[in-house]
Amino acid sequence: MRTLSSALLPFVTLVGLTTSSLTAQQPVASGAPAMKHQDTEVYEPVPPVVTPGATDSAPPSDAIVLFDGTNLDHWVSAKDKAPAQWTVADGAMTVSKAPGVGNIETKETFKNYQLHVEWKIPTNITGSDQARGNSGVFLASTGPGDAGYELQVLDNYNNKTYVNGQAGSIYKQAIPLANPNRKPGEWQTYDIVWTAPTFNEDGSVKTPAFATVLFNGIIVENHFQLLGETLYVGHPFYKKYDTAPIKLQAHGDKSEPISFRNIWIRRLQ
């Protein structure tokens, strides 16, 4: 009779335990009537019908179009809520780096959503590191300046920087899973699913924020759990809010200003 080597005993024990566990989880006959397939079928609530856009980048029928290439009616200055002063031409809005203009944000506020944003680094971009086409999409703007949760925008087609600050990163928190940057002069796309944080009455965190980001069709953030607001200096923290605008950044670097187009959003439960 062959005996098992001592090296195989742990494996055999594990298989035995696994088999026992599976057996223990099987239904036990108790005289109850056998289930029918109808017992696990649900017919309500019926999902709403949404007509998709003509292309995957076009807004579907239930989207709020935040920028259609013609005006900035949905946007205000993040500093004082005055009308947004960025330039609109050729179907795109271009960041204004003029003194006193600064960031812009949506008039409407949002909680959980799906967001589509297209952006372009100019062909004549100059600079390096963080001073090369720097901007950001703030998934929730919680105050003036750069307060909130930033998805970084930057030229990283051939530009080295710290990896938790390159395009596709949740700034200073999440390194993108890939670098799908197109070269300057070509339009880039972010498709974002944002799950906002929730808070208890005393301001403590009930559930954290999560972000999923597709960058030019490639997942670069996969349901990433944020540690709090994104900060240039210091550690992230959460600050209680309910709904918030979406903010676009006018970064202070000296490189040529970038442009945005085709921005739309769908509210989620």
Side-chain angles (χ1 to χ4, degrees), residues 3-14:
T3 57
L4 293 172
S5 69
S6 59
L8 290 176
L9 286 174
F11 174 76
V12 173
T13 302
L14 177 60

Side-chain angles (χ1 to χ4, degrees), residues 17-222:
L17 289 173
T18 303
T19 303
S20 299
S21 298
L22 290 173
T23 303
Q25 294 174 21
Q26 299 305 310
V28 178
S30 61
M35 288 189 69
K36 298 177 292 185
H37 65 87
Q38 293 91 341
D39 294 335
T40 53
E41 295 168 356
V42 178
Y43 291 87
E44 292 182 344
V46 177
V49 175
V50 176
T51 304
T55 65
D56 289 345
S57 62
S61 60
D62 63 345
I64 300 169
V65 178
L66 297 175
F67 180 68
D68 66 358
T70 62
N71 59 65
L72 295 173
D73 290 352
H74 284 272
W75 300 84
V76 294
S77 166
K79 178 178 61 177
D80 57 11
K81 313 305 180 188
Q85 297 297 312
W86 289 12
T87 302
V88 176
D90 300 322
M93 67 163 91
T94 300
V95 174
S96 173
K97 296 192 177 184
V101 176
N103 302 338
I104 65 172
E105 65 184 23
T106 57
K107 291 179 180 178
E108 293 182 75
T109 63
F110 303 93
K111 194 160 190 170
N112 304 323
Y113 58 76
Q114 173 190 348
L115 176 67
H116 178 91
V117 181
E118 298 175 20
W119 51 276
K120 182 173 71 172
I121 302 293
T123 306
N124 62 337
I125 193 69
T126 58
S128 61
D129 198 353
Q130 291 285 302
R132 187 177 174 87
N134 198 325
S135 184
V137 178
F138 281 78
L139 307 176
S141 173
T142 59
D146 294 339
Y149 304 81
E150 181 184 7
L151 170 60
Q152 176 75 319
V153 172
L154 191 70
D155 176 28
N156 290 120
Y157 179 73
N158 190 16
N159 176 42
K160 187 176 181 180
T161 189
Y162 45 91
V163 293
N164 61 347
Q166 73 179 62
S169 67
I170 302 299
Y171 187 68
K172 288 287 185 83
Q173 290 192 45
I175 301 168
L177 300 173
N179 179 352
N181 279 256
R182 296 188 173 112
K183 62 185 178 182
E186 297 184 8
W187 284 99
Q188 324 256 8
T189 299
Y190 279 159
D191 286 293
I192 304 150
V193 178
W194 174 249
T195 302
T198 61
F199 299 88
N200 298 307
E201 289 295 325
D202 63 0
S204 59
V205 177
K206 186 175 181 180
T207 58
F210 293 90
T212 295
V213 180
L214 281 80
F215 183 0
N216 293 332
I218 296 171
I219 289 183
V220 294
E221 304 294 348
N222 186 13

